[in-house]
Amino acid sequence: NVRTWPAVQGPVTGLDAHPEKPWVATVDGAGAVIWDVNTGEVVRRFPGVTRMAFSRCGRWAATAGPGPARVWPLSGFGPVRE
């Protein structure tokens, strides 16, 4: 079963899968987005980010882009209403 996300803007320049949750992070021209692969919902957006990766333990996400690199705790992340 293949999933596509039409909300991606431009070519996908980065991709990472969460080690435990059904999440995939994509990076495109607008920033990074964490998607729930089961529902297709956005878990979290990171505007302007050019790189993103999940930690191997699954508790953190690291982002980078113009400006500082950041490490985000993933506890409490869930689908957002847009």
Side-chain angles (χ1 to χ4, degrees):
N1 190 11
V2 175
R3 270 212 193 262
T4 60
W5 290 276
V8 173
Q9 295 181 14
V12 173
T13 58
L15 183 69
D16 197 19
H18 191 279
E20 296 175 2
K21 296 184 182 195
W23 292 353
V24 170
T26 59
V27 179
D28 62 24
V33 179
I34 298 175
W35 303 90
D36 183 311
V37 298
N38 291 328
T39 65
E41 291 182 301
V42 172
V43 176
R44 178 89 183 243
R45 289 188 186 277
F46 300 87
V49 166
T50 58
R51 300 279 186 269
M52 180 166 194
F54 292 113
S55 65
R56 285 189 268 168
C57 69
R59 295 188 340 227
W60 309 93
T63 60
R70 294 193 164 112
V71 177
W72 304 83
L74 294 176
S75 62
F77 276 26
V80 295
R81 297 284 177 230
E82 296 191 13

